[in-house]
Amino acid sequence: MARSEKARELAERQKEQARKRKEKARAEKLRRKNSTNPADWGQIRQITESYKLTKQQDPKLPWILLAAGIGPFVLLLILGFVLQSPIMWGLLGVAVGLLVALFVFTRRVKRAAFSRYEGQAGSAELALNMLGKKWKHTLAVAVTRNRDSANVVHRAIGPGGLILIGEGDSKGLKTLLASEKKKHEQVAYGVDVVTFVVGRGGGQVPLDQLADAIKKLPKALSTAKITEVEDRLRALDAMRPKLPMPKGPMSTKGAHQAIRGR
């Protein structure tokens, strides 16, 4: 009898635990559904939202994607009739058309994102997020403010070395960037610090070319050296007062996943 009661109590507890898990799963599903954070979105919603935002900047997007998809299909279908295998070549044309349309969509999304946020403080985050897993970056390691704008220095470290990226007014930014370069060189012990300034003036790198410019740097640091330098940089950052990040572009984490086709 006692065993029967214990078995019944165990079954009830298991049933209650299962009910709570289901309720938790439903609540999480509802939260993600209503979330405005791209990190909570599924792949289809990421692509849909990316399409909507890009179309606002690029009204011709639907027609461009249509042409990109139909063009390869038509060419391969014609080739199929010439070779007397229209079905096989037609199916291949559909696959190739989808790939071409996706490639074009990716490029237009990137272009629209850069166009939308270029010139805003913090816009370099868009480029830094595209460096890949071998690179790590820290936003706004140094900030100075004036009446109308802010000068900001971001940092990235990876195979190409230790990089400082400046955004803001050219005069004040030059002084801030030089000061930060000196501090980082003292902490990094012999590691060269490469600097970039985001912009379209002389000696500057446009936002949409920043990631490629950093990736093209020759390999300068091994994985072990990167870890060693990171430890030293933490000591430098620990001595700084916490700096407020200037208002810049919205978080684009989910959009970047959609851009990369995840």
Side-chain angles (χ1 to χ4, degrees), residues 92-164:
L92 179 61
V94 171
V96 173
L98 288 174
L99 287 174
V100 172
L102 181 60
F103 174 78
V104 172
F105 176 64
T106 299
R107 297 295 297 270
R108 307 296 287 201
V109 168
K110 289 182 179 179
R111 183 185 299 178
F114 286 127
S115 175
R116 185 182 184 90
Y117 295 116
E118 188 170 18
Q120 295 186 31
S123 60
E125 181 184 2
L126 286 169
L128 295 176
N129 280 332
M130 295 180 181
L131 289 177
K133 294 181 179 180
K134 293 183 179 180
W135 286 86
K136 297 180 182 179
H137 66 268
T138 305
L139 299 177
V141 294
V143 178
T144 60
R145 294 183 178 276
N146 54 38
R147 184 176 301 175
D148 300 318
S149 62
N151 295 317
V152 189
V153 174
H154 312 292
R155 181 177 68 222
I157 184 170
L162 180 56
I163 319 296
L164 295 179

Side-chain angles (χ1 to χ4, degrees), residues 197-225:
V197 176
V198 180
R200 294 192 176 273
Q204 298 180 339
V205 180
L207 179 62
D208 59 350
Q209 298 177 23
L210 178 60
D212 289 337
I214 294 175
K215 289 178 181 179
K216 288 178 182 178
L217 292 172
K219 186 173 181 179
L221 298 178
S222 65
T223 303
K225 190 64 175 179

Side-chain angles (χ1 to χ4, degrees), residues 42-44 46-47 132-133 253-254 256-262:
Q43 184 176 1
I44 293 177
Q46 288 174 7
I47 294 174
K133 294 181 179 180
K253 180 179 179 182
H256 293 315
Q257 291 175 344
I259 287 173
R260 290 192 294 265
R262 291 184 181 179

